[in-house]
RNA sequence: GCGAAAGUGGCGAAAUUGGCAGACGCGCUGGACUUAGGAUCCAGUUCCUUAAUCGGAGUGGGGGUUCGAGUCCCCCCUUUCGCACCA
């Protein structure tokens, strides 16, 4: 046979055409749930180019999807576009292209790239969140939430982005900086829509235990983000008026040590204090400057400041009178927006007390007979100990036991109650921007906010020509959109002019893939039950406390609404590592260090590019990409793997003929064992998404394979066909071509994934490491079935071993079957 | 500041989870074949010592548990990530 070189371009194009024609990757609508696999990668924001990070993400999912196909599963492996959002608007303003056109162009470009890359997406199920057929159901979900009281309108202090001129959710602000625009976030009081995610806070934490297939890091981050704490709400009272001022504390056992109380500047409690004169002036001035400070300036660790209100409050436990302060280190939205300050035992209160000369009072002694001395303290004491100076509670160990005693007392006296608090806030979803999903609410002056009836959905986003951010939604200036009639009374009414946070659109897209063209329902719920939950969800860890909480929340709501019968959307989550340049810098256009995957695939081949990415590091680790990474796998592919087909001998049914270790001898037996060891390694490591070692195992097999030493045609062909199957998930075009060249019928992806012959996983001989006192002294080759006695005899006969045992007494011998013998000597 | 994860050759990494450290690959060195080679093939490649074996050291540093530690425990150092006044 004339040697043929590996013409990857022709091969890759030809197979992509063939796969599309045979609709190999189209998923059935209603699979057998026991034999289905939902492989999901996070859908993409259509920025126009596919970078190395996308490429890595998608080839990992692709390899899994292909292996599952070979395992005989019905595989759903869809893709789509997270298509609403601010960058489209920015591009529109900058270049004068309408956001819809800009988005559609980018989708077309990105889709073409992914199709050229040969990823096994089922393109017949593609969705885009900006498509009215899609966002009709985003709106329908909103109305469902609204009817259940889970979409609520509130006036609250919000994160305001002064550059993008819109509200941001908590999850979109990092360190007081807006994630997208980079602006310092300001506080602003606004009316907007919220999803009542806090009602699900407990379940969102507790159900994480149902997710052993999720990385611990993500579960921990979510737990901390939701931030559950158990504490006590205690009513202090204003001395003059007797009005209740509740505080929240997780340490009620330190309440006798409260020497002042602090209220957040936003708190309306202050308005009810009846402040006058200097007090009013001072407090008002402080409140105003605190509120105009940006989030980052305000929360910057360091100096705390505040002002005295001139008022005093009474501690209900001991009747003590303590001063009431206003300070911005107390957060308005957490607990009651007010705290008791125990400077002796809380670091922050300590710092504040020192700054303003407020007194300290000790209520915990570290040991039963050792008290602290205030004048010697340069930090608060937050350690263990025993309660003191606290009347009837003295002597109780501080912490859980004391907290219980104090809490029970407050409840029985009626001035306090146990409460659970969360750091998680309700999800702010109103955005004062154009390019988003319209909120399907009609504001009627008589009937209040009304959900748009189902038969009037979708509320179509009108095509407007002005989308400059002005601090209120551009849709508010479109009378044809705005003016409508109330669905309840028929009177004149106005539509809500805000659009939804794009994270709403991405919280349910995985359901739409299952039945993307359904016009009468979000999806056929029977089909949803057959495919869901997602078997493997792959994406970056950046979404740990955003999207990955939101989509769990949506799933739980839909379960409560009776549409779903499961609590969690994805049983296994995998966060792939980042792709950076060779110096470890994040790739970005401004740095000019971007490597284009499409360029790489065109010059070196798709499969070689994939193998290079897989081989460089296990999937969860970061990759510092350099084109040098390609060299090794490229040589392997062209010079070692591709020529395998020429050694193929054309046995019929080489994969089905029976072969056994006992029926073979010499090299044939060795290569048969090696083949089965390789199957086992590739199978196990690919399950863990460790494709780097899968490739290493295949390299070893191919190097050891020598056709000239094999007389059995069946064995020879078995090795070749199996190797092709094992590499197929990682190098699909190459495998498909070789499969066909070896005369196999149909696609390699319809062939059965190899399983290892359990009788053929060990060779005839094993190498035993011989140690003396734990140090390696020799290795000996023995028959695989040799007993411990035989092995000890050989080991003790070794001169290298004797060198270290002569003249010494053997104390004991430790034998690890098939691996190691350790001889312990003394003297 | 709090929390978590990770530190293994010149480089990317492997190590059956407590059992031969460095598989596989890059790079490098030497050789073969070549008019030529940045192609291909073969051999070597943790460090020290050695002609080579032998021997010794070795998984960020220090201690510990164990017959045996990259792996488990304690204390440091460094890096990365997450949270960042949540009372």
């Amino acid at each position: 046979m004339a040697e043929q070189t590996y013409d990857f371009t022709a091969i890759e194009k030809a197979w992509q055409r063939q796969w599309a024609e045979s609709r190999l990757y189209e998923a059935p609508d209603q699979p057998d749930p026991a034999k289905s696999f939902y492989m999901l990668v996070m859908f993409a924001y259509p920025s126009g180019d596919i970078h190395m990070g996308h490429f890595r993400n998608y080839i990992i999912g692709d390899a899994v999807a292909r292996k599952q196909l070979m395992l005989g599963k019905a595989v759903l492996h869809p893709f789509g576009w997270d298509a609403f959002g601010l960058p489209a608007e920015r591009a529109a303003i900058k270049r004068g292209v309408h956001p819809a056109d800009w988005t559609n162009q980018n989708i077309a470009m990105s889709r073409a790239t992914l199709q050229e890359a040969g990823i096994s997406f089922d393109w017949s199920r593609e969705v885009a969140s900006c498509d009215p057929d899609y966002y009709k159901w985003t709106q329908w979900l909103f109305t469902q939430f609204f009817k259940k009281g889970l979409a609520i309108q509130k006036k609250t202090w919000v994160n305001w982005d002064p550059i993008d001129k819109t509200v941001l959710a908590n999850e979109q602000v990092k360190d007081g900086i807006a994630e997208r625009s980079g602006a310092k976030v300001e506080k602003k009081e606004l009316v907007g829509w919220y999803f009542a995610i806090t009602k699900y806070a407990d379940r969102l934490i507790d159900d994480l235990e149902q997710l052993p297939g999720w990385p611990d890091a993500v579960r921990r981050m979510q737990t901390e983000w939701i931030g559950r704490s158990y504490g006590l709400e205690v009513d202090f009272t204003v001395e003059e008026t007797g009005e209740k001022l509740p505080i929240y504390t997780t340490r009620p056992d330190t309440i006798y040590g409260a020497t002042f109380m602090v209220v957040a500047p936003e708190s309306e409690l202050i308005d009810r204090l009846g402040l006058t004169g200097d007090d009013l002036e001072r407090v008002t001035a402080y409140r105003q400057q605190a509120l105009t400070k940006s989030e980052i300036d305000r929360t910057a660790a360091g100096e705390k400041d505040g002002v005295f209100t001139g008022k005093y409050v009474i501690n209900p436990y001991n009747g003590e009178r303590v001063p009431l302060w206003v300070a911005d280190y107390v957060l308005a939205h957490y607990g009651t927006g007010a705290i008791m300050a125990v400077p002796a035992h809380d670091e922050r209160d300590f710092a504040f007390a020192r700054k303003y000369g407020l007194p300290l009072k000790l209520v915990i002694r570290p040991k039963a007979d050792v008290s602290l001395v205030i004048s010697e303290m340069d930090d608060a004491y937050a350690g263990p100990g025993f309660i003191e100076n606290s009347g009837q509670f003295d002597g109780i160990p501080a912490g859980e036991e004391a907290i219980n005693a104090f809490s029970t007392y407050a409840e029985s006296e009626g001035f306090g109650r146990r409460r659970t608090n969360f750091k998680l806030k309700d999800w702010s979803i109103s955005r004062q921007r154009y390019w988003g999903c319209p909120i399907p609410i009609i504001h009627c002056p008589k009937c209040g906010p009304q959900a748009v009836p189902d038969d009037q959905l979708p509320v179509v986003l009108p095509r407007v020509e002005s989308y400059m951010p002005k601090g209120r939604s551009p849709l508010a200036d479109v009378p044809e959109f705005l003016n409508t009639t109330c669905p309840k009374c028929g009177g004149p009414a106005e539509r809500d002019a805000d659009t939804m946070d794009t994270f709403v659109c991405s919280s349910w897209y995985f359901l739409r893939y299952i039945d993307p063209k359904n016009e009468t329902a979000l999806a056929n719920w029977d089909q949803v039950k057959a495919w869901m939950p997602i078997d493997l969800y792959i994406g970056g860890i950046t979404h740990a406390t955003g999207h990955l909480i939101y989509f769990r929340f949506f799933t739980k709501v839909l379960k409560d609404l009776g549409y779903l019968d499961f609590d969690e959307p994805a049983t296994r989550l995998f966060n792939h590592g980042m792709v950076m340049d060779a110096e470890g810098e994040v790739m970005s256009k401004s740095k000019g260090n971007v490597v284009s995957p499409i360029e790489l695939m065109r010059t070196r081949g798709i499969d070689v590019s994939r193998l290079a990415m897989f081989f460089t590091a296990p999937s969860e680790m970061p990759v510092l990409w350099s084109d040098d990474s390609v060299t090794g796998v490229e040589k392997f592919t062209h010079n070692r793997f591709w020529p395998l087909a020429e050694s193929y001998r054309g046995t019929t049914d080489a994969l089905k003929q029976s072969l056994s270790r006992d029926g073979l001898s010499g090299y044939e037996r060795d290569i048969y064992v090696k083949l089965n060891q390789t199957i086992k390694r590739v199978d196990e490591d690919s399950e863990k998404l460790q494709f780097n070692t899968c490739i290493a195992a295949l390299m070893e097999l191919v190097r050891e394979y020598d056709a000239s030493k094999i007389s059995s045609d069946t064995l020879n062909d078995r090795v070749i066909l199996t190797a092709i199957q094992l590499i197929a998930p990682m190098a699909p075009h190459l495998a498909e071509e070789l499969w066909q060249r070896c005369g196999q019928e149909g696609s390699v992806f319809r062939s059965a994934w190899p399983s290892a012959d359990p009788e053929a996983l060990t060779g005839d001989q094993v190498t035993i490491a011989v140690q003396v006192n734990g140090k390696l002294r020799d290795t000996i080759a023995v028959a695989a079935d040799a007993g411990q006695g035989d092995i000890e005899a050989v080991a003790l006969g070794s001169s290298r071993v004797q060198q270290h045992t002569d003249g010494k007494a053997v104390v004991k011998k430790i034998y690890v079957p098939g691996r190691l013998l350790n001889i312990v000597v003394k003297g």
Side-chain angles (χ1 to χ4, degrees), chain A residues 250 304 348 423 616 819 822:
Chain A
T250 54
K304 301 190 185 336
R348 297 152 300 185
K423 291 186 195 174
T616 303
R819 308 196 67 83
N822 188 12

PDB file of all heavy atoms in Angstrom, chain A residues 250 304 348 423 616 819 822, chain B residues 12 16 24 67 85-87:
ATOM      1  N   THR A 250     -25.010  37.820  66.869  1.00  0.00           N
ATOM      2  CA  THR A 250     -24.763  36.378  66.947  1.00  0.00           C
ATOM      3  C   THR A 250     -24.089  36.055  68.287  1.00  0.00           C
ATOM      4  O   THR A 250     -23.816  34.901  68.563  1.00  0.00           O
ATOM      5  CB  THR A 250     -23.831  35.897  65.813  1.00  0.00           C
ATOM      6  OG1 THR A 250     -22.641  36.688  65.828  1.00  0.00           O
ATOM      7  CG2 THR A 250     -24.515  36.016  64.468  1.00  0.00           C
ATOM      8  N   LYS A 304     -12.842  53.885  60.923  1.00  0.00           N
ATOM      9  CA  LYS A 304     -14.297  53.898  61.042  1.00  0.00           C
ATOM     10  C   LYS A 304     -14.663  55.267  61.584  1.00  0.00           C
ATOM     11  O   LYS A 304     -13.963  55.811  62.420  1.00  0.00           O
ATOM     12  CB  LYS A 304     -14.739  52.843  62.037  1.00  0.00           C
ATOM     13  CG  LYS A 304     -14.300  51.459  61.655  1.00  0.00           C
ATOM     14  CD  LYS A 304     -14.967  50.436  62.532  1.00  0.00           C
ATOM     15  CE  LYS A 304     -14.455  49.038  62.255  1.00  0.00           C
ATOM     16  NZ  LYS A 304     -13.901  48.807  60.945  1.00  0.00           N
ATOM     17  N   ARG A 348     -14.214  45.317  65.650  1.00  0.00           N
ATOM     18  CA  ARG A 348     -14.665  46.560  65.015  1.00  0.00           C
ATOM     19  C   ARG A 348     -15.154  47.561  66.043  1.00  0.00           C
ATOM     20  O   ARG A 348     -14.846  48.750  65.983  1.00  0.00           O
ATOM     21  CB  ARG A 348     -15.776  46.245  64.014  1.00  0.00           C
ATOM     22  CG  ARG A 348     -15.311  45.357  62.895  1.00  0.00           C
ATOM     23  CD  ARG A 348     -16.429  44.525  62.337  1.00  0.00           C
ATOM     24  NE  ARG A 348     -17.004  43.668  63.372  1.00  0.00           N
ATOM     25  CZ  ARG A 348     -17.929  42.759  63.147  1.00  0.00           C
ATOM     26  NH1 ARG A 348     -18.411  42.619  61.942  1.00  0.00           N
ATOM     27  NH2 ARG A 348     -18.388  42.009  64.131  1.00  0.00           N
ATOM     28  N   LYS A 423     -26.446  36.691  54.371  1.00  0.00           N
ATOM     29  CA  LYS A 423     -25.777  37.774  53.644  1.00  0.00           C
ATOM     30  C   LYS A 423     -26.445  37.967  52.285  1.00  0.00           C
ATOM     31  O   LYS A 423     -26.432  39.056  51.720  1.00  0.00           O
ATOM     32  CB  LYS A 423     -24.304  37.434  53.417  1.00  0.00           C
ATOM     33  CG  LYS A 423     -23.474  37.429  54.677  1.00  0.00           C
ATOM     34  CD  LYS A 423     -22.009  37.221  54.310  1.00  0.00           C
ATOM     35  CE  LYS A 423     -21.205  36.841  55.527  1.00  0.00           C
ATOM     36  NZ  LYS A 423     -19.816  36.497  55.185  1.00  0.00           N
ATOM     37  N   THR A 616      -1.562  19.088  27.422  1.00  0.00           N
ATOM     38  CA  THR A 616      -0.758  20.043  28.189  1.00  0.00           C
ATOM     39  C   THR A 616      -0.994  19.955  29.698  1.00  0.00           C
ATOM     40  O   THR A 616      -0.063  20.093  30.480  1.00  0.00           O
ATOM     41  CB  THR A 616      -1.048  21.469  27.698  1.00  0.00           C
ATOM     42  OG1 THR A 616      -0.766  21.501  26.307  1.00  0.00           O
ATOM     43  CG2 THR A 616      -0.187  22.483  28.399  1.00  0.00           C
ATOM     44  N   ARG A 819       3.994  -5.605  44.507  1.00  0.00           N
ATOM     45  CA  ARG A 819       4.613  -4.286  44.457  1.00  0.00           C
ATOM     46  C   ARG A 819       5.965  -4.225  45.151  1.00  0.00           C
ATOM     47  O   ARG A 819       6.939  -3.766  44.568  1.00  0.00           O
ATOM     48  CB  ARG A 819       3.693  -3.241  45.093  1.00  0.00           C
ATOM     49  CG  ARG A 819       2.285  -3.224  44.553  1.00  0.00           C
ATOM     50  CD  ARG A 819       1.583  -1.945  44.927  1.00  0.00           C
ATOM     51  NE  ARG A 819       2.219  -0.834  44.248  1.00  0.00           N
ATOM     52  CZ  ARG A 819       1.943  -0.481  43.001  1.00  0.00           C
ATOM     53  NH1 ARG A 819       1.036  -1.147  42.313  1.00  0.00           N
ATOM     54  NH2 ARG A 819       2.563   0.521  42.438  1.00  0.00           N
ATOM     55  N   ASN A 822       9.564  -5.029  51.998  1.00  0.00           N
ATOM     56  CA  ASN A 822      10.444  -4.232  52.853  1.00  0.00           C
ATOM     57  C   ASN A 822      10.985  -5.127  53.962  1.00  0.00           C
ATOM     58  O   ASN A 822      10.229  -5.698  54.733  1.00  0.00           O
ATOM     59  CB  ASN A 822       9.656  -3.055  53.442  1.00  0.00           C
ATOM     60  CG  ASN A 822      10.561  -2.086  54.191  1.00  0.00           C
ATOM     61  OD1 ASN A 822      11.792  -2.169  54.090  1.00  0.00           O
ATOM     62  ND2 ASN A 822       9.952  -1.189  54.952  1.00  0.00           N
TER      63      ASN A 822
ATOM     64  P     G B  12       6.664  24.420  34.394  1.00  0.00           P
ATOM     65  OP1   G B  12       5.846  25.513  34.941  1.00  0.00           O
ATOM     66  OP2   G B  12       7.331  23.458  35.292  1.00  0.00           O
ATOM     67  O5'   G B  12       5.761  23.582  33.392  1.00  0.00           O
ATOM     68  C5'   G B  12       4.961  24.260  32.427  1.00  0.00           C
ATOM     69  C4'   G B  12       4.119  23.274  31.672  1.00  0.00           C
ATOM     70  O4'   G B  12       4.961  22.396  30.886  1.00  0.00           O
ATOM     71  C3'   G B  12       3.313  22.312  32.521  1.00  0.00           C
ATOM     72  O3'   G B  12       2.150  22.921  33.049  1.00  0.00           O
ATOM     73  C2'   G B  12       3.002  21.210  31.519  1.00  0.00           C
ATOM     74  O2'   G B  12       2.000  21.630  30.615  1.00  0.00           O
ATOM     75  C1'   G B  12       4.338  21.121  30.767  1.00  0.00           C
ATOM     76  N9    G B  12       5.199  20.104  31.366  1.00  0.00           N
ATOM     77  C8    G B  12       6.165  20.300  32.317  1.00  0.00           C
ATOM     78  N7    G B  12       6.764  19.184  32.674  1.00  0.00           N
ATOM     79  C5    G B  12       6.149  18.200  31.918  1.00  0.00           C
ATOM     80  C6    G B  12       6.361  16.797  31.868  1.00  0.00           C
ATOM     81  O6    G B  12       7.171  16.128  32.513  1.00  0.00           O
ATOM     82  N1    G B  12       5.510  16.173  30.966  1.00  0.00           N
ATOM     83  C2    G B  12       4.568  16.820  30.197  1.00  0.00           C
ATOM     84  N2    G B  12       3.842  16.054  29.389  1.00  0.00           N
ATOM     85  N3    G B  12       4.359  18.129  30.225  1.00  0.00           N
ATOM     86  C4    G B  12       5.169  18.753  31.098  1.00  0.00           C
ATOM     87  P     U B  16      -1.584   7.456  42.659  1.00  0.00           P
ATOM     88  OP1   U B  16      -2.410   8.588  42.248  1.00  0.00           O
ATOM     89  OP2   U B  16      -0.795   7.540  43.897  1.00  0.00           O
ATOM     90  O5'   U B  16      -2.465   6.141  42.724  1.00  0.00           O
ATOM     91  C5'   U B  16      -3.692   6.089  42.025  1.00  0.00           C
ATOM     92  C4'   U B  16      -4.045   4.666  41.710  1.00  0.00           C
ATOM     93  O4'   U B  16      -3.037   4.096  40.839  1.00  0.00           O
ATOM     94  C3'   U B  16      -4.070   3.717  42.899  1.00  0.00           C
ATOM     95  O3'   U B  16      -5.277   3.799  43.624  1.00  0.00           O
ATOM     96  C2'   U B  16      -3.900   2.362  42.229  1.00  0.00           C
ATOM     97  O2'   U B  16      -5.093   1.917  41.634  1.00  0.00           O
ATOM     98  C1'   U B  16      -2.899   2.719  41.125  1.00  0.00           C
ATOM     99  N1    U B  16      -1.506   2.458  41.543  1.00  0.00           N
ATOM    100  C2    U B  16      -1.086   1.153  41.550  1.00  0.00           C
ATOM    101  O2    U B  16      -1.810   0.218  41.240  1.00  0.00           O
ATOM    102  N3    U B  16       0.202   0.957  41.952  1.00  0.00           N
ATOM    103  C4    U B  16       1.106   1.931  42.333  1.00  0.00           C
ATOM    104  O4    U B  16       2.239   1.614  42.662  1.00  0.00           O
ATOM    105  C5    U B  16       0.589   3.271  42.294  1.00  0.00           C
ATOM    106  C6    U B  16      -0.660   3.482  41.913  1.00  0.00           C
ATOM    107  P     C B  24       7.859   6.898  29.400  1.00  0.00           P
ATOM    108  OP1   C B  24       7.919   5.709  28.527  1.00  0.00           O
ATOM    109  OP2   C B  24       9.070   7.690  29.668  1.00  0.00           O
ATOM    110  O5'   C B  24       6.757   7.911  28.833  1.00  0.00           O
ATOM    111  C5'   C B  24       5.538   7.424  28.272  1.00  0.00           C
ATOM    112  C4'   C B  24       4.666   8.588  27.883  1.00  0.00           C
ATOM    113  O4'   C B  24       4.232   9.290  29.074  1.00  0.00           O
ATOM    114  C3'   C B  24       5.367   9.675  27.062  1.00  0.00           C
ATOM    115  O3'   C B  24       5.451   9.340  25.695  1.00  0.00           O
ATOM    116  C2'   C B  24       4.459  10.874  27.321  1.00  0.00           C
ATOM    117  O2'   C B  24       3.253  10.765  26.600  1.00  0.00           O
ATOM    118  C1'   C B  24       4.153  10.686  28.809  1.00  0.00           C
ATOM    119  N1    C B  24       5.146  11.385  29.651  1.00  0.00           N
ATOM    120  C2    C B  24       4.968  12.761  29.891  1.00  0.00           C
ATOM    121  O2    C B  24       4.000  13.339  29.372  1.00  0.00           O
ATOM    122  N3    C B  24       5.872  13.416  30.649  1.00  0.00           N
ATOM    123  C4    C B  24       6.907  12.756  31.178  1.00  0.00           C
ATOM    124  N4    C B  24       7.778  13.453  31.931  1.00  0.00           N
ATOM    125  C5    C B  24       7.110  11.364  30.953  1.00  0.00           C
ATOM    126  C6    C B  24       6.209  10.720  30.194  1.00  0.00           C
ATOM    127  P     C B  67       6.332   1.180  62.858  1.00  0.00           P
ATOM    128  OP1   C B  67       5.791  -0.130  63.283  1.00  0.00           O
ATOM    129  OP2   C B  67       7.032   2.077  63.798  1.00  0.00           O
ATOM    130  O5'   C B  67       7.291   0.928  61.619  1.00  0.00           O
ATOM    131  C5'   C B  67       8.607   0.427  61.823  1.00  0.00           C
ATOM    132  C4'   C B  67       9.232   0.125  60.483  1.00  0.00           C
ATOM    133  O4'   C B  67       8.534  -0.990  59.869  1.00  0.00           O
ATOM    134  C3'   C B  67       9.115   1.228  59.450  1.00  0.00           C
ATOM    135  O3'   C B  67      10.122   2.205  59.624  1.00  0.00           O
ATOM    136  C2'   C B  67       9.269   0.463  58.144  1.00  0.00           C
ATOM    137  O2'   C B  67      10.606   0.123  57.893  1.00  0.00           O
ATOM    138  C1'   C B  67       8.487  -0.812  58.463  1.00  0.00           C
ATOM    139  N1    C B  67       7.078  -0.743  58.042  1.00  0.00           N
ATOM    140  C2    C B  67       6.776  -0.808  56.671  1.00  0.00           C
ATOM    141  O2    C B  67       7.704  -0.907  55.868  1.00  0.00           O
ATOM    142  N3    C B  67       5.488  -0.766  56.273  1.00  0.00           N
ATOM    143  C4    C B  67       4.515  -0.659  57.182  1.00  0.00           C
ATOM    144  N4    C B  67       3.259  -0.621  56.737  1.00  0.00           N
ATOM    145  C5    C B  67       4.784  -0.594  58.571  1.00  0.00           C
ATOM    146  C6    C B  67       6.071  -0.641  58.958  1.00  0.00           C
ATOM    147  P     C B  85     -17.023  44.506  53.954  1.00  0.00           P
ATOM    148  OP1   C B  85     -17.992  44.972  52.961  1.00  0.00           O
ATOM    149  OP2   C B  85     -15.786  45.272  54.201  1.00  0.00           O
ATOM    150  O5'   C B  85     -17.763  44.168  55.352  1.00  0.00           O
ATOM    151  C5'   C B  85     -17.213  43.146  56.151  1.00  0.00           C
ATOM    152  C4'   C B  85     -16.917  43.699  57.532  1.00  0.00           C
ATOM    153  O4'   C B  85     -16.229  44.961  57.418  1.00  0.00           O
ATOM    154  C3'   C B  85     -18.184  43.928  58.336  1.00  0.00           C
ATOM    155  O3'   C B  85     -18.018  43.376  59.625  1.00  0.00           O
ATOM    156  C2'   C B  85     -18.266  45.445  58.421  1.00  0.00           C
ATOM    157  O2'   C B  85     -18.839  45.866  59.618  1.00  0.00           O
ATOM    158  C1'   C B  85     -16.797  45.852  58.353  1.00  0.00           C
ATOM    159  N1    C B  85     -16.588  47.217  57.891  1.00  0.00           N
ATOM    160  C2    C B  85     -15.996  48.134  58.751  1.00  0.00           C
ATOM    161  O2    C B  85     -15.645  47.757  59.869  1.00  0.00           O
ATOM    162  N3    C B  85     -15.824  49.405  58.322  1.00  0.00           N
ATOM    163  C4    C B  85     -16.220  49.764  57.104  1.00  0.00           C
ATOM    164  N4    C B  85     -16.031  51.012  56.737  1.00  0.00           N
ATOM    165  C5    C B  85     -16.830  48.840  56.215  1.00  0.00           C
ATOM    166  C6    C B  85     -16.996  47.581  56.646  1.00  0.00           C
ATOM    167  P     C B  86     -18.245  41.766  59.745  1.00  0.00           P
ATOM    168  OP1   C B  86     -18.216  41.566  61.206  1.00  0.00           O
ATOM    169  OP2   C B  86     -17.354  41.014  58.853  1.00  0.00           O
ATOM    170  O5'   C B  86     -19.725  41.509  59.235  1.00  0.00           O
ATOM    171  C5'   C B  86     -20.824  41.942  60.010  1.00  0.00           C
ATOM    172  C4'   C B  86     -22.038  41.103  59.660  1.00  0.00           C
ATOM    173  O4'   C B  86     -22.556  41.532  58.385  1.00  0.00           O
ATOM    174  C3'   C B  86     -21.757  39.616  59.528  1.00  0.00           C
ATOM    175  O3'   C B  86     -22.857  38.906  60.040  1.00  0.00           O
ATOM    176  C2'   C B  86     -21.626  39.396  58.026  1.00  0.00           C
ATOM    177  O2'   C B  86     -22.030  38.124  57.608  1.00  0.00           O
ATOM    178  C1'   C B  86     -22.573  40.460  57.476  1.00  0.00           C
ATOM    179  N1    C B  86     -22.148  40.973  56.158  1.00  0.00           N
ATOM    180  C2    C B  86     -23.012  40.858  55.063  1.00  0.00           C
ATOM    181  O2    C B  86     -24.116  40.343  55.217  1.00  0.00           O
ATOM    182  N3    C B  86     -22.615  41.335  53.866  1.00  0.00           N
ATOM    183  C4    C B  86     -21.416  41.889  53.734  1.00  0.00           C
ATOM    184  N4    C B  86     -21.065  42.340  52.540  1.00  0.00           N
ATOM    185  C5    C B  86     -20.519  42.007  54.830  1.00  0.00           C
ATOM    186  C6    C B  86     -20.923  41.540  56.018  1.00  0.00           C
ATOM    187  P     A B  87     -22.560  37.809  61.069  1.00  0.00           P
ATOM    188  OP1   A B  87     -21.446  36.954  60.690  1.00  0.00           O
ATOM    189  OP2   A B  87     -23.892  37.245  61.296  1.00  0.00           O
ATOM    190  O5'   A B  87     -22.102  38.620  62.360  1.00  0.00           O
ATOM    191  C5'   A B  87     -23.017  38.956  63.298  1.00  0.00           C
ATOM    192  C4'   A B  87     -22.393  39.893  64.281  1.00  0.00           C
ATOM    193  O4'   A B  87     -21.791  41.006  63.561  1.00  0.00           O
ATOM    194  C3'   A B  87     -23.428  40.531  65.210  1.00  0.00           C
ATOM    195  O3'   A B  87     -23.639  39.748  66.369  1.00  0.00           O
ATOM    196  C2'   A B  87     -22.804  41.879  65.516  1.00  0.00           C
ATOM    197  O2'   A B  87     -21.807  41.754  66.498  1.00  0.00           O
ATOM    198  C1'   A B  87     -22.167  42.224  64.181  1.00  0.00           C
ATOM    199  N9    A B  87     -23.091  42.913  63.270  1.00  0.00           N
ATOM    200  C8    A B  87     -24.424  42.741  63.104  1.00  0.00           C
ATOM    201  N7    A B  87     -24.964  43.517  62.201  1.00  0.00           N
ATOM    202  C5    A B  87     -23.888  44.248  61.749  1.00  0.00           C
ATOM    203  C6    A B  87     -23.791  45.245  60.791  1.00  0.00           C
ATOM    204  N6    A B  87     -24.825  45.703  60.092  1.00  0.00           N
ATOM    205  N1    A B  87     -22.584  45.777  60.570  1.00  0.00           N
ATOM    206  C2    A B  87     -21.546  45.321  61.259  1.00  0.00           C
ATOM    207  N3    A B  87     -21.507  44.379  62.201  1.00  0.00           N
ATOM    208  C4    A B  87     -22.733  43.881  62.393  1.00  0.00           C
TER     209        A B  87
END
